[in-house]
Amino acid sequence: EMDLGDEEDGEEIDEWVMFDMSVNGTGRKLKTGEEDQWECEADYDDDNRQNSTGWFRGVANSLFKRCKRKPRTKEHFDDVTADGLRTTSADLFLFYSQTFSENDVAMKAVDTIMEEFFSPGGWSRCFDNIYAVEANIPKELDLYIPAAQEELYSWVNGPNRQYEAGFRIIQSGEWGDYDGFYLMEGDSVPVKNYWLDVILGEINAYRPFAVLGAQ
């Protein structure tokens, strides 16, 4: 999920907004149906009104309410066109570090992506085929603990073993005859239209190479 902020009215997520809660007030009102979009300071109940400060704050709170807008999220990132030229054949691999059959969440995620791929106007416009493959790394060895990199030599064992397994899967020829692959990690988010065309153009510009990455 992605934090979208609030671009409609220019308000920052961490800015406080004062809403007029009085009946006849002319200040900004918290509209019906918007309550879930805002996180407001707690009301002052009788226990909080035992002293004068609490009493005055309780009265003020009944007239005005101070709120922050909650971060808005949605289930999918904005659509970004991937491939417009279609000059090169490309397949999509959904690669899980462990075993699909042992993780219902992973299975459901793959099923959702597969459904999207084959839906009208889906990802099949950009890729020829889609496959779900797994590295079968035991859970206890699928480690990624950046905080322990000074003490634990295997802190990044999971990603390393998954990369090795992915390379061998592509190299095996079982899924097709490939002359290269792009490893797109889960936190890589395309933000530019025709990003796949750009990658393919980079590959063609710099080939032959063993590994192409950041310069």
Side-chain angles (χ1 to χ4, degrees):
E1 292 188 337
M2 177 177 62
D3 181 3
L4 300 179
D6 189 351
E7 299 178 354
E8 295 178 0
D9 52 20
E11 290 169 350
E12 297 291 337
I13 296 296
D14 58 354
E15 285 185 353
W16 288 102
V17 176
M18 195 72 72
F19 287 103
D20 185 349
M21 306 303 292
S22 61
V23 176
N24 299 316
T26 59
R28 181 173 177 176
K29 298 291 187 179
L30 187 59
K31 298 178 182 178
T32 303
E34 286 187 343
E35 294 87 351
D36 293 340
Q37 301 175 20
W38 295 86
E39 182 176 356
C40 301
E41 289 185 322
D43 293 329
Y44 273 70
D45 54 25
D46 292 337
D47 293 336
N48 297 98
R49 300 183 184 183
Q50 298 303 316
N51 56 56
S52 59
T53 301
W55 185 86
F56 280 111
R57 290 196 67 178
V59 173
N61 193 247
S62 65
L63 298 176
F64 299 95
K65 190 177 289 290
R66 205 165 73 123
C67 307
K68 285 183 180 181
R69 186 180 290 276
K70 296 179 181 178
R72 294 187 303 151
T73 60
K74 61 180 182 179
E75 294 181 354
H76 303 286
F77 291 100
D78 293 331
D79 291 335
V80 177
T81 308
D83 183 14
L85 300 178
R86 295 293 290 165
T87 57
T88 305
S89 177
D91 293 340
L92 176 63
F93 286 79
L94 306 176
F95 191 23
Y96 181 44
S97 61
Q98 299 178 27
T99 305
F100 283 117
S101 61
E102 297 177 359
N103 190 316
D104 292 338
V105 175
M107 285 285 290
K108 184 177 180 180
V110 166
D111 289 342
T112 300
I113 295 174
M114 289 280 193
E115 184 177 328
E116 171 69 20
F117 184 91
F118 291 109
S119 66
W123 295 0
S124 59
R125 295 177 299 170
C126 306
F127 299 96
D128 294 330
N129 302 293
I130 184 171
Y131 304 109
V133 296
E134 52 198 7
N136 295 312
I137 302 172
K139 187 175 182 178
E140 63 273 14
L141 299 179
D142 190 13
L143 304 177
Y144 181 62
I145 316 173
Q149 57 184 296
E150 298 295 334
E151 301 84 23
L152 187 65
Y153 78 95
S154 59
W155 69 273
V156 71
N157 187 67
N160 287 344
R161 298 289 74 76
Q162 185 176 5
Y163 177 84
E164 179 186 6
F167 190 95
R168 294 186 184 281
I169 287 172
I170 298 297
Q171 194 179 45
S172 70
E174 179 181 354
W175 304 92
D177 184 17
Y178 300 99
D179 56 4
F181 71 93
Y182 167 54
L183 177 63
M184 187 173 183
E185 297 185 353
D187 57 357
S188 298
V189 182
V191 296
K192 181 178 180 179
N193 282 337
Y194 306 116
W195 59 272
L196 187 56
D197 284 334
V198 174
I199 292 175
L200 295 173
E202 290 284 297
I203 291 173
N204 288 327
Y206 287 100
R207 69 170 67 220
F209 55 83
V211 178
L212 177 64
Q215 300 297 319

